Amino acid sequence: MKEEKDARFLAIVGQQGVLSAKPDVDLVKLGRFVCDDDLGILKVDPGLAAAELVSRDHSLSQAEAETVQQAAIKVYCPDMAP
């Protein structure tokens, strides 16, 4: 089940044509981090939540972080959609 979700997440991110230089394992870690949102930042301020991803991985642009975030919400935590 976990591998299935990871594959779906990577497929969505891959369709966006960004982040191809990042290893899949790193992308999955970032995607899962999005859903470890104890404070509920995603629902309150998705832009701030994406900025948190950028601060976690400085090689991401804000747009890339938003792509990761949107894919993660779709696959890992649809209940957290803003």
Side-chain angles (χ1 to χ4, degrees):
M1 183 72 179
K2 217 177 195 183
E3 291 82 17
E4 234 176 79
K5 283 188 172 186
D6 293 346
R8 275 188 23 229
F9 168 76
L10 290 170
I12 292 169
V13 171
Q15 287 171 351
Q16 303 301 318
V18 295
L19 303 166
S20 55
K22 281 218 159 298
D24 287 354
V25 68
D26 291 348
L27 288 171
V28 167
K29 281 182 190 170
L30 285 170
R32 290 178 180 213
F33 174 74
V34 167
C35 295
D36 289 341
D37 181 14
D38 299 333
L39 303 174
I41 296 171
L42 269 178
K43 287 187 177 183
V44 178
D45 189 342
L48 184 61
E52 182 71 26
L53 277 181
V54 174
S55 73
R56 198 169 163 82
D57 183 335
H58 298 293
S59 70
L60 288 177
S61 70
Q62 182 74 12
E64 290 169 334
E66 288 170 9
T67 297
V68 168
Q69 178 177 290
Q70 289 162 2
I73 291 168
K74 274 185 195 158
V75 174
Y76 297 121
C77 53
D79 55 314
M80 294 178 82

